[in-house]
Amino acid sequence: MAAPNPDSALAALLGKLPRAGTVRWIGVRHARGRAMRELDSVEAIAGRGLVGDRYASASGKRGVTLIQSEHLPVIAALSGHAEVAPALLRRNVVVSRLPLVALKGRRFRIGGVVLEGTGDCDPCARMEEALGPGGYNAMRGHGGLCARIVEGGHFAVGDSLQALEVVA
């Protein structure tokens, strides 16, 4: 979606968020096929990723992956589970109280880290293994957000997620 005219009514609506978000869970995975390791806090390296995560060794738009806690019960229901643990979905950060889709193309701060939402975090074929048959489709539209790390630092469970400026 192209950015709307900054003076338009749509731009004004897209710029309003109901409240700050809150970090509920953090996890990293040091190698492909390994289980996620839950953390209380993490260091983020600008232009890279989270210390201890396999994606920290490469640069790109997927330095951090985020998912909304409010989507976890939906994914569970759609995949036929009573609940779904965050580690099963292989995202780095679970956030509540803020619609992550509103952070696409926008910078935001978590603790001492500035990130930029780069796009949807679409599910992969591994969701069939993790959630069972239909797991991929259960996650479609609920996979979360990929972000690049603009300014490194630390953040922790309980930290606030604050939206910053829209990136042109």
Side-chain angles (χ1 to χ4, degrees):
M1 176 175 131
N5 176 334
D7 298 323
S8 71
L10 178 59
L13 290 172
L14 290 172
K16 292 181 185 175
L17 296 171
R19 67 187 67 80
T22 304
V23 174
R24 299 294 179 193
W25 185 90
I26 301 169
V28 296
R29 188 167 45 113
H30 77 274
R32 182 182 174 112
R34 301 296 223 157
M36 296 291 287
R37 187 175 56 138
E38 185 174 350
L39 304 172
D40 292 327
S41 65
V42 69
E43 180 182 356
I45 303 168
R48 304 300 249 184
L50 302 178
V51 170
D53 193 67
R54 74 187 202 107
Y55 287 108
S57 63
S59 61
K61 298 179 179 181
R62 193 185 168 109
V64 179
T65 56
L66 303 97
I67 193 166
Q68 275 183 244
S69 66
E70 292 84 356
H71 286 203
L72 299 180
V74 174
I75 294 166
L78 293 174
S79 62
H81 297 278
E83 62 183 33
V84 174
L88 194 62
L89 303 179
R90 303 170 55 229
R91 302 301 187 259
N92 299 119
V93 182
V94 177
V95 176
S96 66
R97 301 175 39 91
L98 181 103
L100 286 175
V101 68
L103 299 177
K104 278 199 282 186
R106 185 177 196 139
R107 289 191 176 173
F108 55 98
R109 178 179 300 281
I110 303 175
V113 179
V114 174
L115 302 105
E116 181 181 315
T118 58
D120 295 327
C121 190
D122 295 322
C124 68
R126 290 191 181 269
M127 290 302 101
E128 290 292 301
E129 181 182 318
L131 298 170
Y136 174 87
N137 278 317
M139 277 199 67
R140 287 178 66 196
H142 304 287
L145 181 75
C146 293
R148 72 180 183 90
I149 301 167
V150 178
E151 295 176 20
H154 289 84
F155 66 90
V157 172
D159 280 355
S160 176
L161 185 158
Q162 297 283 335
L164 302 173
E165 74 273 10
V166 175
V167 179

